[in-house]
Amino acid sequence: MKKLFCFVSIIVLIFVSFSFGQDIAVVYDASVEDGGGIVVQNPKQLADLIVEKLEEKKLTAEIVDSDALIEYMNANPKGIYVLAQGTTPGTIFKNQGKNDLVYSWLRDGGIGAMIGDFPFYYYWDKGERIEPAVGGQQSVFGFQVTQAVQAEVKPTVLGKQYIPSLKNWTTDRPLGLSVLRQNNFEFESYADDGTYADPIAFRTNDMEGWYINFHTSCCGPLYRHMIK
């Protein structure tokens, strides 16, 4: 099996104060998009590979579906979930701001991670993909942080340190660094061009936790970017 792009290093290394005694939830649900996902090719294979690589780092991880994700987040207020399908489950997000579980969970210290297209652009509810579009990020973070532009990004000092396999690459859904700076976000960029960044970890000034944007793409199978 081809080796997963080593984004696991971000989880392992940047959050040095985090206690890894809890499982990491890798989110894959066969009922979402009929087992598929926005942009991500073979999300079940990707989820299995994420678990495998996390366990190689001596971390405990398990695959959870949309309903089990609620249980995990309630039981692990400072846990980590990694979304492997590109569409956020409606069990934790319905574009309802403070009424969404993911909103309060991130502010209480939870860490969310996204692989796929534009974070919170879509959610899956009752067999249907719902599209709040840029309003989804405004609901969760207060601002639209992802930009629908193509950027040629290069590893930063932190990227080279934490993700040695990271190379120059083209992202279709980077975060705008000016938006983060203007709105007092804290962030760590792992690859950028001075204007746009991806991968990147960030949080609002009222979030105790973090959100991590990994290799996002809009217009083709993302899984090709995730393997070395």
Side-chain angles (χ1 to χ4, degrees):
M1 182 180 290
K2 292 184 177 180
K3 184 177 180 181
L4 180 68
F5 180 88
C6 193
F7 74 87
V8 173
S9 297
I10 298 177
I11 295 176
V12 176
L13 293 174
I14 69 170
F15 302 109
V16 293
S17 64
F18 182 79
S19 171
F20 289 104
Q22 305 162 100
D23 289 343
I24 296 170
V26 179
V27 186
Y28 170 77
D29 192 327
S31 68
V32 174
E33 305 275 358
D34 295 321
I38 296 293
V39 180
V40 181
Q41 183 180 8
N42 299 322
K44 178 57 167 64
Q45 182 184 17
L46 177 58
D48 288 337
L49 199 50
I50 292 171
V51 170
E52 175 186 328
K53 295 302 174 182
L54 287 168
E55 290 181 344
E56 286 181 5
K57 298 290 186 179
K58 309 302 180 185
L59 302 174
T60 55
E62 60 182 276
I63 294 175
V64 301
D65 64 15
S66 300
D67 291 326
L69 179 58
I70 300 176
E71 298 175 10
Y72 169 83
M73 291 169 70
N74 286 332
N76 298 279
K78 297 186 184 297
I80 298 174
Y81 79 75
V82 181
L83 183 61
Q85 280 176 284
T87 303
T88 304
T91 52
I92 68 166
F93 169 74
K94 289 185 180 178
N95 198 34
Q96 297 176 336
K98 295 180 180 180
N99 291 327
D100 284 326
L101 175 59
V102 71
Y103 181 99
S104 57
W105 192 74
L106 290 171
R107 281 157 180 79
D108 290 342
I111 297 170
M114 168 73 178
I115 300 170
D117 198 352
F118 203 118
F120 298 110
Y121 202 95
Y122 309 100
Y123 67 91
W124 187 262
D125 185 51
K126 298 179 180 178
E128 183 179 3
R129 186 200 305 162
I130 311 298
E131 186 177 320
V134 298
Q137 290 193 355
Q138 293 167 348
S139 176
V140 177
F141 305 123
F143 304 92
Q144 176 191 338
V145 294
T146 298
Q147 306 301 313
V149 300
Q150 194 171 83
E152 303 287 338
V153 296
K154 300 179 180 180
T156 63
V157 172
L158 287 177
K160 293 175 182 178
Q161 177 183 352
Y162 294 154
I163 321 171
S165 59
L166 183 60
K167 308 297 182 184
N168 297 0
W169 77 288
T170 303
T171 171
D172 302 312
R173 294 290 188 262
L175 265 68
L177 294 176
S178 63
V179 174
L180 301 181
R181 293 186 180 110
Q182 290 167 8
N183 294 289
N184 299 316
F185 281 67
E186 183 178 356
F187 64 89
E188 288 189 351
S189 170
Y190 307 106
D192 64 54
D193 65 359
T195 303
Y196 301 108
D198 182 9
I200 185 171
F202 63 96
R203 61 182 175 184
T204 65
N205 58 15
D206 65 345
M207 280 170 54
E208 291 295 325
W210 295 79
Y211 200 79
I212 310 173
N213 195 80
F214 292 121
H215 272 60
T216 43
S217 177
C218 73
C219 307
L222 179 64
Y223 196 49
R224 71 182 186 275
H225 293 312
M226 303 298 294
I227 54 180
K228 179 182 178 183

